[in-house]
Amino acid sequence: MGVTIHDVAARAGVSVATASRAMSGQRGVRAENRDKVLAAARELDYEPNVVAASLRSRTTHTIGMVVPRIANPFFATLVESIEKQLHDGQRSLLLANSHYDPEVEQRQVRALLDRRVDALILIPCHRERSGEVLATAAARIPVIQLDLRVDGFASSWVGVDNEAGVWQVVRHLTERGAKRLVFVGAQPTDSAAQARLDGYRRAAGDGDDVLLGDFSKEWGQRAAKLLLQRGELPDGIVCGNDTIALGVLGELAGNDVRVPQDVLVAGFDDIPYAELSRPALTTVRQPQEQIAAEAVRILDARLADDAATPRSTAITPELIVRSST
């Protein structure tokens, strides 16, 4: 048999209860005794039974998180920000990918619930169809929606004011002299796609010139080809996110269209590649560290008080002007 907490207690000369409290970091243990217990655990090469400890405390010190597509640089860096916040509190993150498929999302959430995560951070992949699994999770553990949200679902949410961000872009392009704008975005199946489309239409006034696909570089390339086929480019292209914008920039460059001399191009999110593109991309920066800190703060409040009132926090993003405009 392996070394047990009884062996550690005997080596340290303390009770099993004291040894257990010392190993779990609980209060009420004298510093001298804690040092003895930790030294005995090292000497005996003691490995705590994490599963048993979780059953006793009814907590696993793990948080589940489901994102639509981890390959998207925005989601990847947002996950890192959340993970850093959790690690500061000695907790681990269990990550799953929904691939923008509500059925996959449902399986991933159920798998995390089966692993007894203490709470769930969900970036729902669909404005409507993610509602069922969100309700299932919220009936069992604290849940917070991050970045995206399900229409009309009463749970805490943290993200940016997407409409305000698009408004900043449109105002910037018009101040740069652009009179004819085009919006290249994604079909409004998720809340960000809808909000950015709505924001563009309100900000542009006559914002009916829109091309909708998905949040991918490939769609940006196809959209740019469609614009080139028109024969006359607009003065400015407002992209629904940076990956679309990178696709647009690449296709324009391949057809000898100069940015910003011939057309202005802007994105949204400020992913790491935005500054490295040629030309460097004007975009809307989402303050991910602030978003992550607020999300974990709200989640902690809910874990401490199950009856805590749901909160929605929309953070104003920042326009980052670079060479593409």
Side-chain angles (χ1 to χ4, degrees):
M1 293 180 62
V3 177
T4 69
I5 191 68
H6 294 269
D7 300 321
V8 173
R11 173 68 67 92
V14 299
S15 69
V16 172
T18 296
S20 180
R21 289 197 301 271
M23 291 299 300
S24 61
Q26 295 181 36
R27 296 178 180 178
V29 180
R30 288 187 299 173
E32 178 184 357
N33 286 340
R34 176 174 284 107
D35 291 343
K36 288 180 180 179
V37 169
L38 295 179
R42 287 193 298 270
E43 293 169 4
L44 296 173
D45 198 21
Y46 171 67
E47 293 289 342
N49 188 327
V50 176
V51 174
S54 297
L55 290 173
R56 287 193 300 271
S57 65
R58 296 187 179 182
T59 180
T60 61
H61 302 290
T62 59
I63 305 295
M65 184 172 184
V66 181
V67 303
R69 182 175 292 148
I70 194 62
N72 183 319
F74 171 74
F75 291 136
T77 52
L78 185 56
V79 167
E80 288 185 359
S81 297
I82 290 289
E83 190 172 41
K84 180 178 182 299
Q85 291 290 328
L86 293 175
H87 279 181
D88 288 348
Q90 303 299 308
R91 287 171 291 183
S92 298
L93 183 69
L94 295 183
L95 179 66
N97 198 350
S98 71
H99 303 285
Y100 277 105
D101 185 332
E103 293 183 1
V104 173
E105 180 179 66
Q106 187 173 74
R107 291 197 299 270
Q108 299 286 37
V109 169
R110 290 185 182 279
L112 290 171
L113 293 176
D114 289 344
R115 285 167 174 75
R116 302 175 63 88
V117 294
D118 297 331
L120 177 68
I121 299 172
L122 179 65
I123 304 180
C125 67
H126 198 281
R127 294 167 46 214
E128 299 169 350
R129 294 175 61 195
S130 295
E132 181 180 350
V133 72
L134 189 59
T136 298
R140 293 176 55 179
I141 58 174
V143 173
I144 185 169
Q145 298 182 84
L146 187 68
D147 183 45
L148 307 179
R149 63 196 308 178
V150 172
D151 291 349
F153 193 89
S155 76
S156 293
W157 169 81
V158 177
V160 298
D161 187 334
N162 286 287
E163 291 197 29
V166 173
W167 185 83
Q168 290 181 62
V169 171
V170 171
R171 184 181 65 174
H172 169 66
L173 295 186
T174 55
E175 288 176 348
R176 296 290 295 160
K179 292 182 172 56
R180 293 176 297 109
L181 298 177
V182 171
F183 179 75
V184 180
Q187 292 287 344
T189 56
D190 69 55
S191 61
Q194 182 68 68
R196 293 175 193 180
L197 175 60
D198 291 344
Y200 173 76
R201 284 177 167 156
R202 292 191 179 102
D206 58 346
D208 292 329
D209 195 355
V210 300
L211 298 174
L212 301 179
D214 58 29
F215 285 127
S216 71
K217 181 179 178 181
E218 292 73 21
W219 163 237
Q221 292 171 327
R222 291 198 300 273
K225 288 179 181 178
L226 292 173
L227 293 175
L228 289 166
Q229 289 170 8
R230 293 182 178 182
E232 184 179 3
L233 285 171
D235 301 322
I237 302 174
V238 180
C239 297
N241 78 345
D242 289 345
T243 53
I244 292 175
L246 293 177
V248 168
L249 288 176
E251 189 64 28
L252 294 179
N255 286 272
D256 299 322
V257 176
R258 301 170 303 165
V259 177
Q261 293 90 340
D262 299 328
V263 60
L264 307 174
V265 178
F268 201 114
D269 287 338
D270 196 26
I271 63 174
Y273 302 118
E275 189 174 10
L276 302 176
S277 67
R278 292 293 177 267
L281 182 65
T282 290
T283 186
V284 176
R285 175 176 294 165
Q286 297 206 47
Q288 293 186 333
E289 294 292 338
Q290 183 181 352
I291 292 170
E294 179 67 8
V296 172
R297 188 185 69 78
I298 292 175
L299 203 60
D300 285 343
R302 177 66 193 284
L303 286 166
D305 178 8
D306 190 57
T309 303
R311 293 188 54 186
S312 291
T313 304
I315 298 170
T316 302
E318 176 187 5
L319 179 68
I320 305 298
V321 178
R322 298 193 179 105
S323 303
S324 69
T325 60

